[in-house]
Amino acid sequence: MPPLANNHPLLCSPFQLFGCFLAWETRNVSIPALNDSKYIGMSVYNVGIMCIIGAAVSFLTRDQPNVQFCIVALVIIFCSTITLCLVFVPKLITLRTNPDAATQNRRFQFTQNQKKEDSKTSTSVTSVNQASTSRLEGLQSENHRLRMKITE
């Protein structure tokens, strides 16, 4: 019988904590298609619960290795399937119900954000150009005045 330590749920905990951290950090992403933090949180919860159930049942069936193997395999398959469904099914539903809106919404948001950034940049460049032009004109007029004073 293989040691139970290889299937221990505490071995997954650092990865689950890292997944929770990434989901927390990306919860306010402005692109809705990339904001999956709710589904990632549910996936982490699912994996945690299934690890606890799988470890308990595996511990109870340690004298029957075939049953233990089947239960651990089913837990792994169930966790993987549920996680994939939680992450990808909402996106597939969105694409299936309204494919144009899903792609247009993303493109529209990206182009709007890009236009806002471009307008901010062009506004700041225009104001810098105007300030530089007015300063240059002032320096040229002062230069001309001083030249006239020298020639007198």
Side-chain angles (χ1 to χ4, degrees), residues 96-122:
R96 187 153 177 97
T97 56
N98 199 355
D100 293 333
T103 55
Q104 288 293 333
N105 194 13
R106 260 190 302 173
R107 289 180 188 155
F108 180 68
Q109 278 188 332
F110 179 73
T111 55
Q112 267 195 335
N113 290 342
Q114 191 66 29
K115 285 179 183 177
K116 286 179 186 175
E117 289 175 10
D118 288 346
S119 67
K120 288 178 187 175
T121 305
S122 66

Side-chain angles (χ1 to χ4, degrees), residues 7 9 12 16 46-56 75 79:
N7 299 327
C12 298
Q16 287 180 328
N46 171 50
V47 170
I49 294 297
M50 290 307 295
C51 280
I52 291 170
I53 292 171
V75 166
C79 283

Side-chain angles (χ1 to χ4, degrees), residues 2-12 51 54-55 58 68 72 76:
L4 187 60
N6 290 340
N7 299 327
H8 199 274
L10 292 178
L11 295 176
C12 298
C51 280
S58 178
Q68 185 181 26
V72 169
I76 291 171

Side-chain angles (χ1 to χ4, degrees), residues 132-148:
S132 297
T133 304
S134 64
R135 184 165 185 243
L136 179 64
E137 289 172 356
L139 289 174
Q140 284 176 340
S141 64
E142 185 181 353
N143 189 11
H144 181 39
R145 186 182 56 81
L146 291 174
R147 282 181 188 248
M148 294 306 268

